[in-house]
Amino acid sequence: MQAPLNPEHTVSDAASTSPQQAAARIRVVLVGTQHPGNIGSAARALKTMGLSRLVLVAPQKYPHNEADMMAAGAEDVLAAAVVHDTLAEALSDCRLVLGCTARSRRVQLRELGPRAAAAAVRADADAGGEVALVFGRERTGLENAELQLCHAAVHIPANPDYSSLNLAAAVQVLAYEVRMALLGEAGAAPAAVAVQPDAAPHAELEGFFAQLADTLDAIDFHKGRTPDSAMRKLRRLFVRTGLDRQEVRLLRGVLADAQRMAGLARKPED
Amino acid sequence: MQAPLNPEHTVSDAASTSPQQAAARIRVVLVGTQHPGNIGSAARALKTMGLSRLVLVAPQKYPHNEADMMAAGAEDVLAAAVVHDTLAEALSDCRLVLGCTARSRRVQLRELGPRAAAAAVRADADAGGEVALVFGRERTGLENAELQLCHAAVHIPANPDYSSLNLAAAVQVLAYEVRMALLGEAGAAPAAVAVQPDAAPHAELEGFFAQLADTLDAIDFHKGRTPDSAMRKLRRLFVRTGLDRQEVRLLRGVLADAQRMAGLARKPED
């Protein structure tokens, strides 16, 4: 259900969403955090910037007293943190997912600066969407498979000779930009990511991609080609498009018929 | 002395000052820092954002191995740090001095947000001025006498219910804004629509749409549905995406295999 529950807001009436309402739709997801102190520091960074939803994916040590110590006044954010086993679970109801990366990666994703990212976060949260900002491991960041769950990458334009912002510093900078955007001080930058009014949530997109992969197998598409490369390109294409829910249903209908035909071709005796 | 020393630049010709030249005119001054670890963290925050001039006024414990530990890769910034006994000495050659405060103080000073402060820092540094960003003690901030040495106060608009950014986090946010200003991204609107570098020309798109329509027929997709409506929606979707030529070839490859399977399904005897 994409329509806002509160009849006061509509997609075209973003001004009626308060910064607090928008902030409540924004989660910060830490993936595979190694040092529990960083989880506490991140909780603190969120709270200073008026955010409250911390999500942990497979943290290496948690709960841990170092997390509590570093939270220093943001224990409420830490206590409310949700823990998941996989990033996909943490994102299942999200409509916009931005992955923070230290630098451009092999994965081809559109890259946004923090300010443009914050504008996109605000636009989507104002329109009623669930939004995630995803941060990877301290040393190694996000894996390619994790980045592929993201709609765009966020890159903090740090000093190229020394770009090692620590995890808490990166969370602080992004949370700060999100707060500035929610307060309306983004420099009035337009949202860089087009928001579909009825955008398909993450889980529906993933369902479509899974069926697309099955269909490619069924029609013998991969013969002599690497399956991963084609799926990567197709994912990129459809993520860029920003499919709405009706379009996902239409495309899945096409795939279902192609799969049915492939089944008939393989079992002519039926 | 307001006029730039180098006759090549003038105040109105900021473009001739490189971000590196401007960064070299910006110092970050930490007053009475209590925890040496914060001095190291501040050195790191500066370096990530391309700044290098750290000035310490009467630090409580310095040098100190905690400062070295927290600097982690920014030891050069720490080694070059200048120590003064008083803030006045640290600012003697400065043309613009901005004091960071947790909140409005009794001292009547113009108050700037971090973005406006960074724009002012850039303008002055571009024009050849020496600029200082001053941060006070962890617990008590800057004293009134110290704030009176500042031309304006900078206030990070944190969550009013929990505004306690730690010292390193505040330095990180300000240094980040300064870097964004030096890179010229202060208000620059991001590109709203990504331009595909190798966009498929019209005829290739139409070839793809014709094959898509044929494929829908072949897999019996239209059964009970109006063909036009589905094709209209699919056209709209793919036109919006802005396909490049390689993507058109990829999609046509998928369609060709679906068509082949449909052919096999219809003529099992072949």
Side-chain angles (χ1 to χ4, degrees):
Chain A
M1 164 87 174
Q2 294 288 314
L5 296 175
N6 183 336
E8 280 173 32
H9 4 114
T10 68
V11 172
S12 60
D13 186 20
S16 66
T17 304
S18 75
Q20 288 76 17
Q21 288 171 314
R25 298 192 188 113
I26 300 166
R27 71 191 71 178
V28 167
V29 182
L30 306 183
V31 180
T33 309
Q34 292 157 319
H35 301 296
N38 285 335
I39 296 174
S41 296
R44 187 171 171 176
L46 259 63
K47 190 167 179 179
T48 60
M49 294 298 136
L51 300 176
S52 59
R53 291 177 59 198
L54 182 62
V55 176
L56 308 174
V57 174
Q60 291 201 3
K61 297 174 194 162
Y62 187 81
H64 195 282
N65 68 328
E66 280 179 34
D68 298 335
M69 274 171 50
M70 295 304 287
E75 293 86 358
D76 52 341
V77 173
L78 207 54
V82 178
V83 182
H84 288 286
D85 289 333
T86 68
L87 180 56
E89 284 172 46
L91 303 176
S92 62
D93 59 338
C94 287
R95 206 162 77 167
L96 177 66
V97 180
L98 301 178
C100 301
T101 64
R103 61 189 61 78
S104 304
R105 298 300 201 99
R106 300 122 285 171
V107 173
Q108 288 289 339
L109 267 182
R110 195 147 48 106
E111 197 173 85
L112 302 173
R115 194 151 301 163
V121 166
R122 182 194 166 159
D124 221 61
D126 275 353
E130 286 287 323
V131 178
L133 279 165
V134 183
F135 295 82
R137 297 153 193 85
E138 287 90 337
R139 294 265 164 235
T140 55
L142 291 170
E143 295 171 359
N144 285 354
E146 290 160 349
L147 273 174
Q148 279 169 2
L149 299 177
C150 300
H151 300 116
V154 185
H155 173 63
I156 297 175
N159 176 1
D161 296 331
Y162 182 73
S163 58
S164 67
L165 266 79
N166 64 34
L167 177 58
V171 172
Q172 184 74 64
V173 166
L174 266 294
Y176 161 77
E177 279 286 11
V178 166
R179 181 165 178 82
M180 295 296 273
L182 294 183
L183 294 177
E185 300 186 33
V193 175
V195 179
Q196 293 288 108
D198 187 32
H202 195 263
E204 289 184 19
L205 261 189
E206 290 303 318
F208 163 63
F209 287 133
Q211 188 178 359
L212 178 58
D214 289 346
T215 305
L216 294 187
D217 281 340
I219 64 174
D220 267 354
F221 178 75
H222 295 309
K223 197 172 34 201
R225 285 172 275 209
T226 56
D228 285 0
S229 159
M231 269 309 294
R232 241 190 342 263
K233 288 170 187 160
L234 290 166
R235 282 186 80 101
R236 190 160 65 216
L237 183 166
F238 286 110
V239 166
R240 182 177 83 225
T241 308
L243 297 171
D244 67 26
R245 306 181 87 172
Q246 193 198 23
E247 288 170 337
V248 168
R249 282 194 297 273
L250 172 62
L251 289 169
R252 292 192 74 158
V254 173
L255 293 178
D257 280 337
Q259 286 174 309
R260 188 173 47 79
M261 278 292 165
L264 290 174
R266 282 167 196 285
K267 298 177 189 164
E269 68 277 12
D270 287 357
Chain B
M1 162 90 174
Q2 296 287 316
L5 296 174
N6 183 336
E8 280 174 29
H9 1 115
T10 68
V11 172
S12 59
D13 185 20
S16 65
T17 303
S18 74
Q20 288 76 17
Q21 289 172 313
R25 300 193 186 109
I26 300 166
R27 72 192 69 178
V28 167
V29 182
L30 306 184
V31 180
T33 309
Q34 293 156 318
H35 301 296
N38 285 335
I39 296 174
S41 296
R44 186 172 174 177
L46 260 63
K47 190 168 179 179
T48 60
M49 295 296 136
L51 300 176
S52 59
R53 293 176 59 198
L54 183 62
V55 176
L56 308 173
V57 173
Q60 291 201 6
K61 297 174 194 165
Y62 187 81
H64 195 284
N65 67 328
E66 279 179 36
D68 298 336
M69 274 171 48
M70 295 305 286
E75 294 86 357
D76 53 341
V77 172
L78 207 55
V82 178
V83 182
H84 288 287
D85 290 332
T86 67
L87 180 57
E89 284 173 46
L91 303 176
S92 62
D93 59 338
C94 287
R95 204 163 77 169
L96 176 66
V97 179
L98 301 178
C100 301
T101 63
R103 61 189 60 80
S104 304
R105 297 301 200 101
R106 301 121 287 173
V107 173
Q108 287 291 338
L109 267 182
R110 190 157 51 109
E111 195 173 87
L112 302 173
R115 195 151 299 166
V121 166
R122 179 190 170 162
D124 223 62
D126 275 353
E130 287 287 324
V131 178
L133 278 165
V134 184
F135 296 82
R137 297 155 194 82
E138 288 90 336
R139 294 265 164 233
T140 54
L142 292 169
E143 295 171 358
N144 285 353
E146 291 160 348
L147 272 173
Q148 280 165 2
L149 299 176
C150 300
H151 300 116
V154 184
H155 172 63
I156 297 175
N159 176 0
D161 297 331
Y162 183 73
S163 59
S164 66
L165 266 79
N166 65 34
L167 177 58
V171 172
Q172 185 74 64
V173 166
L174 266 294
Y176 161 77
E177 279 286 11
V178 166
R179 181 166 178 81
M180 295 295 273
L182 294 183
L183 294 177
E185 301 184 30
V193 176
V195 177
Q196 293 292 107
D198 186 31
H202 188 265
E204 289 185 20
L205 263 189
E206 287 306 317
F208 162 64
F209 287 134
Q211 187 178 358
L212 179 58
D214 288 347
T215 306
L216 294 187
D217 281 340
I219 64 175
D220 268 354
F221 178 75
H222 294 309
K223 195 173 34 202
R225 285 171 277 210
T226 54
D228 286 358
S229 158
M231 269 309 295
R232 233 186 355 257
K233 287 170 186 160
L234 290 166
R235 283 186 81 103
R236 193 161 60 215
L237 183 167
F238 285 109
V239 166
R240 179 176 85 224
T241 308
L243 298 171
D244 68 25
R245 306 181 83 168
Q246 196 199 20
E247 288 170 337
V248 168
R249 282 194 297 274
L250 173 63
L251 289 168
R252 293 192 73 160
V254 174
L255 294 179
D257 281 337
Q259 287 174 309
R260 187 173 48 78
M261 278 291 163
L264 289 173
R266 281 170 196 287
K267 298 177 190 164
E269 68 278 12
D270 289 357

